[in-house]
């Protein structure tokens, strides 16, 4: 059993919007780099499956060589190997095609996991493109995965309910964030051990780009309004506050 987990290194996604700066339509280089939050959920899910099924787990990323130290966190969390395809394209077709190449380079892979969307571009399309390229089922918004006989049984979160799905053979799943897959904090011993785990670096392959053209990337403008309510009459103040919250549709 071999599980592959896709991971992307992104600029710090916890930076307040007011402090965020773009250079050439992308985040300024000064920001700390980290693995995307949803990708860490996928890594945690992969580690849990690895333990339950005695599987092998490989983390695959498309990005820059300087991100290898960041990606080693996945190894410290429990992955066995890291594969990096070096490239700088933001085109989802190019990324998906190169991830497909990387998956094929490590041999037979039974299941591919990915975060539901990247923490920088928020597109959430690469994993579905990958599934289409490889000709396997794709299921988004997965919260739980189990192996029953020869089938994979998964729980999918929708807007109105949770539903259970099953499929046999290979598949690509996007993992959503639930309390059960909160990323573990690697112990110090595992962090040091991760520095000795193998990292396989691959050159990118040529893949046709999408027909879309990126016109612009802009930081949304935010406006804040502060209104101070008098506290002379608490009951009246509370009613006023509730009325204003309902008026603005916060309640």
């Amino acid at each position: 059993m071999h599980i592959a987990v896709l991971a992307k290194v992104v600029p710090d996604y916890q930076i307040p919007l007011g402090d965020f700066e773009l250079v050439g339509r992308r985040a300024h280089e000064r920001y700390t780099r980290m693995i995307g939050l949803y990708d860490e959920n996928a890594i945690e899910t992969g580690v849990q499956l690895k333990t339950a099924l005695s599987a092998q787990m490989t983390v695959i990323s498309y990005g820059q060589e300087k991100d290898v130290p960041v990606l080693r966190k996945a190894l410290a969390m429990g992955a066995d190997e890291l594969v990096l395809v070096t490239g700088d394209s933001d085109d989802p077709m190019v990324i998906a095609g190169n991830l497909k190449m990387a998956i094929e380079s490590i041999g037979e892979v039974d299941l591919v996991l990915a975060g539901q969307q990247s923490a920088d571009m928020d597109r959430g399309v690469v994993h579905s493109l990958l599934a289409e390229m490889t000709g396997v089922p794709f299921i988004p918004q997965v919260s739980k995965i189990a192996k029953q006989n020869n089938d994979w049984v998964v729980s999918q979160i929708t807007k109105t309910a949770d539903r259970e799905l099953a499929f046999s053979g290979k598949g690509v799943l996007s993992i959503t964030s639930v309390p059960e897959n909160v990323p573990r904090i690697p112990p110090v011993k595992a962090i040091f051990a991760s520095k000795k785990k193998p990292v396989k670096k691959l050159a990118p392959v040529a893949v046709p780009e999408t027909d879309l053209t990126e016109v612009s990337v802009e930081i949304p403008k935010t406006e804040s309004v502060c209104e101070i309510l008098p506290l002379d009459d608490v009951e009246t103040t509370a009613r006023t506050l509730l009325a204003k919250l309902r008026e603005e549709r916060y309640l």
Side-chain angles (χ1 to χ4, degrees):
M1 176 72 64
H2 197 159
I3 299 168
V5 182
L6 310 181
K8 183 180 182 181
V9 176
V10 299
D12 188 349
Y13 48 79
Q14 297 178 326
I15 298 171
L17 187 60
D19 297 334
F20 196 75
E21 180 182 357
L22 292 176
V23 174
R25 298 181 182 175
R26 293 297 179 264
H28 197 288
E29 286 289 327
R30 63 186 172 87
Y31 297 125
T32 302
R33 306 276 287 173
M34 58 182 62
I35 298 175
L37 180 59
Y38 286 117
D39 293 342
E40 288 196 358
N41 294 135
I43 294 168
E44 176 62 33
T45 301
V47 172
Q48 293 177 16
L49 279 175
K50 170 193 169 181
T51 302
L53 303 174
S54 299
Q56 182 180 358
M57 176 179 160
T58 300
V59 170
I60 301 175
S61 183
Y62 174 89
Q64 306 171 43
E65 281 200 42
K66 68 178 183 179
D67 291 331
V68 169
V70 179
L71 289 164
R72 284 194 183 275
K73 179 180 180 180
L75 296 173
M77 289 174 67
D80 299 301
E81 184 182 15
L82 171 63
V83 177
L84 173 69
V85 184
T86 55
D88 57 6
S89 175
D90 277 331
D91 189 280
M93 288 289 289
V94 173
I95 297 172
N98 277 277
L99 291 173
K100 175 178 178 290
M101 176 271 293
I103 291 171
E104 293 172 345
S105 75
I106 63 177
E108 195 73 14
V109 173
D110 299 278
L111 195 66
V112 178
L113 308 181
Q116 69 175 31
Q117 64 200 60
S118 63
D120 54 353
M121 303 302 290
D122 279 333
R123 290 180 296 208
V125 297
V126 168
H127 35 48
S128 58
L129 290 173
L130 174 63
E132 176 68 21
M133 290 177 178
T134 53
V136 301
F138 169 67
I139 303 177
Q141 296 290 103
V142 171
S143 59
K144 296 179 183 178
I145 308 169
K147 185 74 170 175
Q148 294 183 6
N149 299 321
N150 294 323
D151 291 338
W152 293 104
V153 179
V154 304
S155 296
Q156 182 189 52
I157 296 179
T158 69
K159 287 185 177 180
T160 55
D162 294 354
R163 64 175 179 170
E164 189 173 276
L165 302 170
F167 67 96
S168 58
K170 302 177 181 180
V172 177
L173 310 178
S174 80
I175 308 300
T176 191
S177 177
V178 291
E180 291 78 12
N181 64 21
V182 171
R184 66 189 63 194
I185 299 175
V188 175
K189 183 178 180 180
I191 294 173
F192 281 110
S194 70
K195 297 179 180 181
K196 298 180 180 179
K197 289 186 178 181
V199 177
K200 182 179 180 182
K201 298 177 184 178
L202 302 175
V205 294
V207 179
E209 296 185 354
T210 61
D211 294 329
L212 299 175
T213 300
E214 184 179 278
V215 178
S216 66
V217 176
E218 299 177 1
I219 300 174
K221 295 181 180 179
T222 58
E223 295 182 1
S224 61
V225 178
C226 178
E227 182 177 351
I228 299 176
L229 300 177
L231 285 177
D232 299 333
D233 186 339
V234 176
E235 184 176 348
T236 301
T237 301
R239 288 177 179 175
T240 304
L241 176 60
L242 284 172
K244 290 182 177 296
L245 290 174
R246 289 194 180 101
E247 182 181 343
E248 297 296 330
R249 296 186 179 182
Y250 290 114
L251 295 176

